[in-house]
């Protein structure tokens, strides 16, 4: 049953560290736009050890949780049901509390990536490259499993990471070839590049942007633009930002937690942009 505007409900984002999270800004903007005046959305610093106790103490007023690192896998044993999308990458970033008390785990990062790409006109590619091999890279692979018809090349720093990406490829039914990070400049010639690395990691690649770049999806949103994204835009390439991803995955969370659809994408994006500009 969709939530009523008069329902006093709670939601929050959990993780460690969490002070930087933009999720409260995005979700509160959605509540304002939807007229959910009694809804609140907070942030709590919670680690893996503290997560079970935190979840067990939640009362019936709770509508849902957003999970960030390092909790996306730690929360799985605490839910009653998990979506196929979340199961495909062993990562839950959304828990919705059903009226019957069940905890339902989902992953909105993957459809959020696809929605962000679709917004920029990318619905299918014949090949792609991924920079990095962490948790976000596995979500990127899961998104590419749905839109990439050919090979995905993952540029990584170690053989252990390479083996992980090949295993994810087999699991997600994606043709994955791994390459050494030293050759990462080659990635920039792909029709779609998804950069999943921490801040500063791709800065050295900025001088290697080709004359006619295609599409770069850089999952960072702070600091923004990254040196690579700025150079990419300068050369006329299309850039999808981490804020695009954050907003689109949050839209899906709001819809699931509140029962209201569509969530106010534009208002949430404006709130995110304003918050980042103020930092």
């Amino acid at each position: 049953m969709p939530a009523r505007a008069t329902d006093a409900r709670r939601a929050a984002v959990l993780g460690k560290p969490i002070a930087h999270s933009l999720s409260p800004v995005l979700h509160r903007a959605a509540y304002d736009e939807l007229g959910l005046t009694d809804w609140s959305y907070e942030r709590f610093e919670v680690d893996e050890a503290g997560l079970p106790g935190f979840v067990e103490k939640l009362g019936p007023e709770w509508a849902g949780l957003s999970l960030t690192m390092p909790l996306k896998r730690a929360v799985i044993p605490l839910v009653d049901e998990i979506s196929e999308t979340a199961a495909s990458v062993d990562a839950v970033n959304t828990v919705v509390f059903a009226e019957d008390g069940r905890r339902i785990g989902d992953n909105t990062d993957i459809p959020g990536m696809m929605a962000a790409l679709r917004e920029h006109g990318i619905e299918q590619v014949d090949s792609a490259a991924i920079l990095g091999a962490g948790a976000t890279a596995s979500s990127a692979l899961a998104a590419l499993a749905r839109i990439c018809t050919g090979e995905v090349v993952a540029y990584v720093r170690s053989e252990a990471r390479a083996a992980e990406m090949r295993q994810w490829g087999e699991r997600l039914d994606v043709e994955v070839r791994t390459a050494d990070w030293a050759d990462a400049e080659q990635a920039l010639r792909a029709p779609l590049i998804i950069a999943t690395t921490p801040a500063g990691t791709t800065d050295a690649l900025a001088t290697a942007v080709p004359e006619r770049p295609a599409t770069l999806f850089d999952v960072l949103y702070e600091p923004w633009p990254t040196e690579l994204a700025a150079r990419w835009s300068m050369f006329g390439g299309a850039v999808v930002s981490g804020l695009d991803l954050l907003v689109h995955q949050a839209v899906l969370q709001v819809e699931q937690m509140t029962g209201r659809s569509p969530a106010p994408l534009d208002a949430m994006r404006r709130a995110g942009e304003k918050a980042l500009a103020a930092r």
Side-chain angles (χ1 to χ4, degrees), residues 61-119:
E61 74 278 13
W62 282 84
L65 297 171
S66 307
L67 289 308
T68 186
M69 298 304 290
L71 305 178
K72 294 184 181 183
R73 292 203 169 106
V75 76
I76 292 175
L78 306 179
V79 300
D80 301 298
E81 185 180 321
I82 185 173
S83 70
E84 288 186 16
T85 302
S88 72
V89 290
D90 288 337
V92 165
N93 78 326
T94 307
V95 176
V96 176
F97 298 98
E99 288 190 351
D100 61 7
R102 286 178 305 127
R103 304 167 185 155
I104 302 169
D106 194 15
N107 184 307
T108 63
D109 286 331
I110 296 166
M113 281 188 176
M114 295 171 64
L117 287 166
R118 191 162 52 245
E119 187 177 46

Side-chain angles (χ1 to χ4, degrees), residues 227-277:
E227 288 191 29
L228 180 59
R231 184 88 169 176
W232 203 269
S233 295
M234 187 187 308
F235 278 67
V239 175
V240 185
S241 75
L243 182 60
D244 293 326
L245 167 59
L246 192 67
V247 170
H248 277 285
Q249 66 82 27
V251 159
L252 298 170
Q253 289 184 335
V254 168
E255 291 174 353
Q256 289 188 33
M257 292 179 191
T258 68
R260 299 291 193 89
S261 184
L265 171 69
D266 291 341
M268 294 169 71
R269 192 197 308 275
R270 286 195 300 271
E273 290 171 344
K274 182 178 178 180
L276 285 176

Side-chain angles (χ1 to χ4, degrees), residues 117 125 128-130 139-149 152 174 192 194:
L117 287 166
V125 290
I130 294 178
S139 292
L141 263 184
L144 290 172
R146 295 156 169 80
I147 67 168
C148 184
T149 59
V152 176
V174 183
L192 171 62
I194 305 182

Side-chain angles (χ1 to χ4, degrees), residues 122 124-129 148 187-193 213-216 232:
I122 307 296
Q124 189 175 86
V125 290
D126 56 14
S127 63
C148 184
L188 307 186
R189 302 191 179 278
L192 171 62
I193 303 97
T215 300
L216 170 69
W232 203 269

